[in-house]
Amino acid sequence: MNKTQLSLLVIGQLLLGLLLLALFLRHSLFTPANEPRDLNIDSFVDHAQYLTTQSEVIAPLLCAKLATDMGFTIDQNRVNSELRQTLKAYDDDKDAALYLFIYVKGYAFGLAHGIEDKPGAYFHLGCDSDHPEVQLSPEQSKI
């Protein structure tokens, strides 16, 4: 395992830990006593792990972050809207979709941050088909 992979693993685990802590604090401090809200941490972790392996969820986020890191403007509202639509199936009236949105977006942005050859990865992932306005020179698009 190289340093980049190890860093991404550590960042992902830290994000998961912080999100689980936020879930616990939100429900223990901010939920009214007359409104029972049971946390289902096991379900959240299972869904989060599953979603991070789905390219249709992670790839658009990676593409958006890579383009932004390279100085291009991306319609973040569209990216967020598409991700929220995908995560709508996980909505359980207990903000599960929101927490999954935060985790998955943070995970993908952490992955993109760790990529050294951002232009190469951008074209390797096929991001140029979703965002044809991003034009790179041939030497930038080599992996």
Side-chain angles (χ1 to χ4, degrees), residues 48-64 79 82-83 86 104 107-108 111 124-127 130:
Q49 285 180 331
Y50 172 75
L51 289 168
T52 58
T53 63
Q54 301 305 302
S55 62
E56 64 272 6
V57 174
I58 297 296
L61 295 170
L62 284 173
C63 291
V79 173
E82 289 173 2
L83 181 58
T86 301
V104 169
Y107 178 85
L111 285 176
H124 180 72
L125 289 170
C127 300
D130 292 335

Side-chain angles (χ1 to χ4, degrees), residues 64-132:
K65 180 62 174 159
L66 289 170
T68 302
D69 286 353
M70 293 184 301
F72 296 100
T73 303
I74 298 298
D75 184 3
Q76 287 293 338
N77 288 331
R78 183 180 63 81
V79 173
N80 290 343
S81 175
E82 289 173 2
L83 181 58
R84 283 193 180 111
Q85 187 64 32
T86 301
L87 298 177
K88 197 175 246 183
Y90 298 95
D91 192 12
D92 63 356
D93 294 330
K94 296 179 184 176
D95 298 328
L98 173 66
Y99 293 123
L100 286 169
F101 173 85
I102 294 167
Y103 179 77
V104 169
K105 193 165 183 182
Y107 178 85
F109 280 23
L111 285 176
H113 181 71
I115 296 173
E116 291 180 26
D117 181 16
K118 292 182 188 323
Y122 186 84
F123 282 93
H124 180 72
L125 289 170
C127 300
D128 54 328
S129 65
D130 292 335
H131 304 288

